């Protein structure tokens, strides 16, 4: 995959071609339903956290038809789960998982789609507006990783055979959920070895802009990182998302991480990231053999 990086570095040198106009992005066949492809099961539940005491949230589970309880499955966790699990949305992860698992392009993966916590006895009308979202996602601590490792994933493991191998665990998110995914793997590379960030908020919301320096000055961690962003992303009092993601990519390059930075002209939305999701998943899981 190394030659691909050269292409993206070249794109960074031609920024003036992208600013001001967002490209039209469309889905390929891997993001569409097809006859003969088994459809995985998606269920929804509610969780009350103890680590984030007083919060309530919905989460979704995706179980592929190919799941065998006698074989440990891979796990991929998604923040802002409602956005990723929506089959009519920008990402359509269950459809993409069904197609790629059927083709054996990726391993058998259980999907865990988690919404941010809300400090209430009732769920928020809009999960993106959940009151605890920024605290959970933008903070540079191990609290969210502990929430996953000590609360939710053990709950899943009561029912499903999930691999204990960090190479078989990935974590993904968009915007603040993107930096959250990186933080979870950064804090616990012994648990999450793969990160996927869509237009991640590596900006000064709660100190995320420090990562580009921290990566350079910290011994390399055993994590594989996928970054995606576009030249029309946000630019506000917290920082410039497009520049911040370029800084992240540069720091990862400097420390010789296994990473890829997929660039485009997208804004702060999932249109670009969703259109390239099938290839992104193939790259992220390319080091795991499918059975």
């Amino acid at each position: 995959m190394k030659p691909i990086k050269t292409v993206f570095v070249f794109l960074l040198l031609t920024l003036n071609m992208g600013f001001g106009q967002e490209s039209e992005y469309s889905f390929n066949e891997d993001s569409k339903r097809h006859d003969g492809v088994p459809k995985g099961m998606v269920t929804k539940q509610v969780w009350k956290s103890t680590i984030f005491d007083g919060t309530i949230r919905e989460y979704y589970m995706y179980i592929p038809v190919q799941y065998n309880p006698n074989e440990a499955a891979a796990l991929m966790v998604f923040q802002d789960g409602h956005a990723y699990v929506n089959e009519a949305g920008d990402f359509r992860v269950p459809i993409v998982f069904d197609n790629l698992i059927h083709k054996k392009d990726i391993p058998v993966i259980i999907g865990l789609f988690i919404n941010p916590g809300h400090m209430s006895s009732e769920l928020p009308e809009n999960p993106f507006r959940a009151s605890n979202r920024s605290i959970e996602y933008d903070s540079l601590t191990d609290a969210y990783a502990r929430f996953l490792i000590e609360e939710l994933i053990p709950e899943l493991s009561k029912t499903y055979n999930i691999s204990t191998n960090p190479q078989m665990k990935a974590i993904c998110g968009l915007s603040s959920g993107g930096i959250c995914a990186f933080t979870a793997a950064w804090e616990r590379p012994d648990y999450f070895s793969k990160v996927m960030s869509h237009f991640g908020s590596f900006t000064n919301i709660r100190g995320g802009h420090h990562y580009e320096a921290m990566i350079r000055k910290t011994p390399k961690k055993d994590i594989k990182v996928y970054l995606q962003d576009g030249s029309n992303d946000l630019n506000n009092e917290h920082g410039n998302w497009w520049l911040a993601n370029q800084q992240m990519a540069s720091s990862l390059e400097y420390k010789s991480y296994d990473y890829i930075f997929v660039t485009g002209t997208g804004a702060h939305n999932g249109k670009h990231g969703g259109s390239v999701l099938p290839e992104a998943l193939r790259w992220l899981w390319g080091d795991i053999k499918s059975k």
Side-chain angles (χ1 to χ4, degrees):
M1 301 303 297
K2 295 292 184 183
I4 296 178
K5 289 185 184 177
T6 304
V7 175
F8 296 129
V9 170
F10 173 75
L11 288 174
L12 294 181
L13 298 175
T14 57
L15 299 182
N16 61 305
M17 297 175 64
F19 282 115
Q21 183 176 354
E22 182 177 4
S23 298
E24 292 290 330
Y25 294 107
S26 59
F27 295 113
N28 67 26
E29 293 302 307
D30 289 322
S31 297
K32 301 174 184 177
R33 285 278 173 213
H34 298 286
D35 293 339
V37 175
K39 184 177 180 180
M41 177 179 66
V42 175
T43 58
K44 180 170 69 172
Q45 300 185 57
V46 174
W47 185 261
K48 294 181 179 180
S49 175
T50 54
I51 288 177
F52 296 114
D53 192 30
T55 63
I56 187 171
R57 75 195 68 223
E58 287 181 325
Y59 71 93
Y60 306 76
M61 288 285 302
Y62 162 87
I63 308 298
V65 171
Q66 296 86 347
Y67 168 73
N68 179 351
N70 296 318
E71 298 179 0
L75 175 70
M76 190 160 182
V77 179
F78 297 82
Q79 277 59 248
D80 291 314
H82 66 288
Y84 284 99
V85 79
N86 182 2
E87 294 192 7
D90 287 333
F91 294 97
R92 307 182 179 190
V93 173
I95 297 175
V96 178
F97 271 4
D98 284 342
N99 287 325
L100 297 191
I101 292 172
H102 178 66
K103 291 180 177 181
K104 298 186 176 181
D105 288 349
I106 60 175
V108 173
I109 301 173
I110 289 175
L112 173 57
F113 304 82
I114 312 170
N115 285 348
H118 189 57
M119 295 291 290
S120 173
S121 60
E122 297 183 0
L123 294 165
E125 186 173 330
N126 180 355
F128 281 124
R129 301 300 180 198
S131 61
N132 220 45
R133 184 174 184 268
S134 180
I135 292 171
E136 294 177 8
Y137 287 5
D138 294 306
S139 300
L140 306 193
T141 72
D142 68 349
Y144 194 81
R146 290 193 298 107
F147 161 69
L148 296 175
I149 295 168
E150 298 173 19
E151 286 191 37
L152 262 188
I153 295 175
E155 181 68 17
L156 271 53
S157 297
K158 294 177 183 178
T159 305
Y160 300 103
N161 185 0
I162 297 172
S163 176
T164 59
N165 181 353
Q167 301 299 319
M168 294 284 280
K169 292 192 182 76
I171 185 162
C172 173
L174 58 85
S175 188
S176 290
I179 191 173
C180 176
F182 185 84
T183 298
W186 180 262
E187 294 289 337
R188 293 298 302 271
D190 61 314
Y191 201 90
F192 295 105
S193 75
K194 294 174 170 60
V195 177
M196 178 174 286
S197 168
H198 295 112
F199 50 97
S201 299
F202 300 101
T203 52
N204 191 16
I205 299 176
R206 293 180 184 269
H209 62 301
H210 291 303
Y211 267 133
E212 62 96 4
M214 291 165 61
I215 291 168
R216 292 174 181 270
K217 295 187 174 185
T218 303
K220 180 183 174 184
K221 305 194 180 194
D222 188 17
I223 54 177
K224 183 177 185 179
V225 183
Y226 175 97
L227 300 175
Q228 174 272 325
D229 200 21
S231 56
N232 285 287
D233 203 349
L234 295 175
N235 184 15
N236 59 31
E237 67 270 23
H238 301 298
N240 184 306
W241 269 246
W242 173 233
L243 294 178
N245 276 273
Q246 291 177 68
Q247 289 275 37
M248 287 290 292
S250 178
S251 295
L252 292 168
E253 178 74 31
Y254 173 75
K255 292 295 284 192
S256 300
Y257 274 83
D258 186 5
Y259 87 99
I260 193 169
F261 181 31
V262 177
T263 66
T265 60
H268 201 72
N269 59 55
K271 298 183 187 306
H272 178 212
S275 71
V276 298
L277 182 63
E279 283 307 312
L281 289 169
R282 288 187 179 96
W283 179 84
L284 194 69
W285 291 99
D287 54 343
I288 303 297
K289 276 193 172 184
S290 301
K291 295 183 179 180

